[in-house]
Amino acid sequence: MINLEDPKKFKALVGQANQVAMNMLRPISRKYDLAEHEYPKELDMLAAMIDGLSESGASEGAGATGVRREEDDGDTTVKNGTNLASVMSVAEMCWGDVGLLLSMPRQGLGNSAIASVADDDQLKRFEGVWAGMAITEPEFGSDSAQIRTTAVKDGDHYVLNGEKIFVTSGERADHIVVWATLDKDLGRAAIKSFVVAKGTPGMEVERLEHKLGIRASDTATIRFENCRVPAENLLGSPEVDAKQGFAGAMATFDNTRPLVAAMAVGCARASLDLTRDLLQQAGVEVDYDRPAQNQSAAAARFLRMEADWEAAYLLTLQAAWMADNRQPNSLEASMAKAKAGRVGSDITLGCVELCGYVGYSETELLEKWARDSKILDIFEGTQQIQQLIVARRVLGLSSAELQ
Ligand SMILES: Cc1cc2nc3c(=O)[nH]c(=O)nc-3n(C[C@H](O)[C@H](O)[C@H](O)COP(=O)(O)OP(=O)(O)OC[C@H]3O[C@@H](n4cnc5c(N)ncnc54)[C@H](O)[C@@H]3O)c2cc1C
């Protein structure tokens, strides 16, 4: 039998995340939307609390750093583990504010990359760092195989040269996970990721972007000029394995895409919750016991949006659950990201429409959530790219066969 209820063991974690979202993120949400590029200093205390919970073991997967596949110990028991805990708590925090969640110290997408692919020694060395992730370059976004940033081995270091754009937390994070190629002629297999500490000579933040949404989060352009990185900071294997191709680097996405889907789910849930209240105040009752077509147009639209939300939520849980249970989940991670990214934008904008001028004005956060959610359908692979990946997997075609 399929049980679609949230696991009981995560009730306390989700409850805590909801309290934090409501009492600590929501109250400063508008402030940092307006004060773009100003660091939300209130997050320092919150990050310390999350560290404390994680250290005490009281909070399994309280943030983005929980995403790691456990070793196969032969135990075939079904697990609700850290991946599931992470997506549930991230969704709850994004019910509070996506931009602030993305600004949370030590919870960057680079942290997820480290958690996903670092070996035990690296995990220990990079424990407690705050890492952004730098893939995108001026010449490409979606097609990561086009990476031009180079990494050349020189003794016990790699020397990085290139430019990275749109790096989330690129200014505030203390480390950046940089994707670079060891040899452009060897194609995708030669792309590796490197953990670079801020302050390393040759690494410079050039500028910050002004954005439509998630304005609490900084987005930076970073230049690398003869930047020397210790060889042991290369994540995963230094071997260029043509057979494995891009698989090593791409494995990160199997863990991070469900997290981004969870962000979209959380933000859309915030819009739906507020819209239900506002509709009720306007005399529109949403009745879950009657067919949508027998209700007012507003209630019927609301019910359709909730059904879409539910589908996105369940796909997100499924992708994370599969990671917890060591099942290959590339297809499901992309399905979750595609569905949640699209319905996240549709729902938040739909809520603006349903609530009329209240939806569009700054008296409520609905207009902000509509702006914030758009990026979740873009970064970590756009809607179109997710659909392409799903199509390739379903049809059994390679990236060369279906572009
Ligand atoms: C606020 C923000 C934060 C970001 N944070 C990060 C970060 O932390 N780290 C990082 O590395 N990057 C980050 N990015 C970059 C982001 O991942 C890229 O913007 C994204 O991958 C898309 O790349 P692009 O903008 O170059 O668009 P392009 O790749 O040029 O695509 C343009 C359009 O064409 C579509 N398209 C492309 N190829 C195909 C195809 N084969 N078939 C059909 N349609 C296609 C795309 O879906 C898109 O709609 C961020 C971007 C933003 C805006």
Side-chain angles (χ1 to χ4, degrees), residues 35-337:
E36 192 176 19
H37 297 163
E38 195 178 305
Y39 175 64
K41 53 188 181 316
E42 293 87 342
L43 295 181
D44 284 340
M45 193 176 76
L46 187 50
M49 258 169 57
I50 292 176
D51 289 347
L53 285 172
S54 300
E55 270 165 35
S56 71
S59 179
E60 180 180 25
T65 49
V67 290
R68 183 167 177 83
R69 290 186 186 224
E70 280 145 39
E71 295 298 315
D72 190 349
D73 55 4
D75 179 3
T76 53
T77 324
V78 170
K79 288 190 182 72
N80 292 323
T82 50
N83 285 276
L84 195 55
S86 290
V87 295
M88 290 178 74
S89 65
V90 161
E92 215 55 50
M93 296 285 272
C94 290
W95 180 89
D97 192 292
V98 178
L100 292 170
L101 184 274
L102 287 166
S103 307
M104 198 74 74
R106 299 177 286 286
Q107 306 291 328
L109 284 171
N111 289 93
S112 311
I114 293 171
S116 299
V117 290
D119 61 29
D120 288 346
D121 167 59
Q122 290 171 329
L123 263 190
K124 217 175 283 158
R125 277 196 295 124
F126 299 128
E127 198 182 338
V129 304
W130 178 4
M133 181 138 85
I135 305 170
T136 309
E137 298 182 2
E139 292 81 13
F140 85 91
S142 297
D143 188 2
S144 342
Q146 301 302 323
I147 280 177
R148 294 187 185 184
T149 297
T150 51
V152 176
K153 188 89 193 282
D154 180 24
D156 51 7
H157 282 74
Y158 285 96
V159 182
L160 302 190
N161 277 290
E163 188 180 25
K164 294 290 179 182
I165 59 171
F166 287 110
V167 184
T168 298
S169 303
E171 188 191 43
R172 298 170 187 164
D174 47 46
H175 286 68
I176 303 290
V177 175
V178 183
W179 288 30
T181 174
L182 297 181
D183 184 344
K184 279 187 215 158
D185 294 337
L186 293 177
R188 293 156 184 254
I191 294 171
K192 302 286 173 186
S193 49
F194 301 83
V195 184
V196 187
K198 271 291 184 50
T200 305
M203 173 188 198
E204 198 182 331
V205 174
E206 283 195 329
R207 64 163 202 277
L208 297 178
E209 302 295 336
H210 291 283
K211 307 189 296 291
L212 172 76
I214 57 160
R215 294 167 65 158
S217 160
D218 64 310
T219 309
T221 293
I222 306 179
R223 171 163 285 285
F224 296 90
E225 250 176 47
N226 295 324
C227 178
R228 292 178 70 82
V229 183
E232 61 269 20
N233 285 16
L234 183 155
L235 293 175
S237 163
E239 300 305 318
V240 178
D241 178 354
K243 257 196 260 136
Q244 204 205 15
F246 218 11
M250 296 303 270
T252 308
F253 287 138
D254 297 346
N255 291 353
T256 55
R257 284 178 176 155
L259 284 175
V260 178
M263 293 175 198
V265 159
C267 186
R269 185 74 250 167
S271 289
L272 287 169
D273 287 350
L274 179 55
T275 298
R276 196 198 299 98
D277 288 351
L278 292 170
L279 287 178
Q280 203 168 23
Q281 286 167 31
V284 178
E285 280 297 334
V286 179
D287 186 344
Y288 291 91
D289 294 326
R290 278 195 301 140
Q293 70 267 24
N294 294 347
Q295 301 189 43
S296 67
R301 172 111 190 256
F302 186 86
L303 284 167
R304 274 196 300 275
M305 290 197 296
E306 274 207 320
D308 252 344
W309 180 88
E310 193 84 24
Y313 179 59
L314 291 175
L315 281 169
T316 304
L317 295 191
Q318 182 192 20
W321 181 89
M322 290 175 77
D324 278 336
N325 288 279
R326 296 187 292 269
Q327 296 179 13
N329 71 337
S330 300
L331 170 64
E332 290 75 11
S334 283
M335 283 166 66
K337 168 83 168 69

Side-chain angles (χ1 to χ4, degrees), residues 1-21:
M1 196 176 79
I2 302 174
N3 182 355
L4 297 178
E5 282 180 26
D6 295 344
K8 281 199 194 76
K9 75 184 255 200
F10 297 143
K11 237 185 167 140
L13 172 70
V14 169
Q16 273 167 4
N18 181 268
Q19 287 300 310
V20 168

